[in-house]
Amino acid sequence: MTNPSILPGQEGRWSFLYLAWLVALVASLSALFIGEVMGQAPCSLCWQQRAFMFPLAILLAIASFRADTTVWRYALPLAALGAAIALFHSLLYAGLIPEGIQPCSQGPSCASAEMTVLGVLPLPYLSLAAFLAIVFALLASKSKAQS
């Protein structure tokens, strides 16, 4: 079944938009599950990443419903800024950032074992992967005529 609001030739771009929304939705629901159900308090960098991911889930849901492939103009800056924070957080988690500039001095530690899913997947890396997936999906959803 096709969406009647999708113009001919836009099906592929809409699929990437839908994929970006699914990634944002899963990331947002996962962050809520980890914080609210598992009771794991987020660090300050996690809160900052949530500030970019949660609006993306809403914005991309509306754009997917409306088949608005021009949403990349608004969503791409949010995803790119979120990815930048997630990259910084990942570098911090990996120990590549000197301790003197670590922003996580209060609250949960970014280097603790609680920052992993299933004991092996670090949350900062998962967040970075989600933001990068959204960035690439949004770039793929934009048409050459819109650039």
Side-chain angles (χ1 to χ4, degrees), residues 67-142:
D68 180 8
T69 56
T70 64
V71 73
W72 67 268
R73 291 181 176 115
Y74 312 107
L76 191 58
L78 282 174
L81 288 170
I85 295 169
L87 176 62
F88 179 78
H89 196 187
S90 296
L91 293 173
L92 179 66
Y93 183 84
L96 298 174
I97 294 178
E99 289 186 27
I101 59 171
Q102 290 186 3
C104 295
S105 58
Q106 296 177 356
S109 170
C110 290
S112 71
E114 293 177 350
M115 292 295 286
T116 61
V117 174
L118 303 174
V120 283
L121 298 170
L123 293 177
Y125 298 164
L126 292 174
S127 176
L128 179 60
F131 277 115
L132 290 177
I134 293 169
V135 165
F136 289 124
L138 288 172
L139 289 173
S141 75
K142 77 177 205 168

Side-chain angles (χ1 to χ4, degrees), residues 47-58:
W47 276 115
Q48 293 171 20
Q49 291 167 67
R50 287 178 179 198
F52 288 96
M53 187 62 76
F54 290 176
L56 277 171
I58 296 168

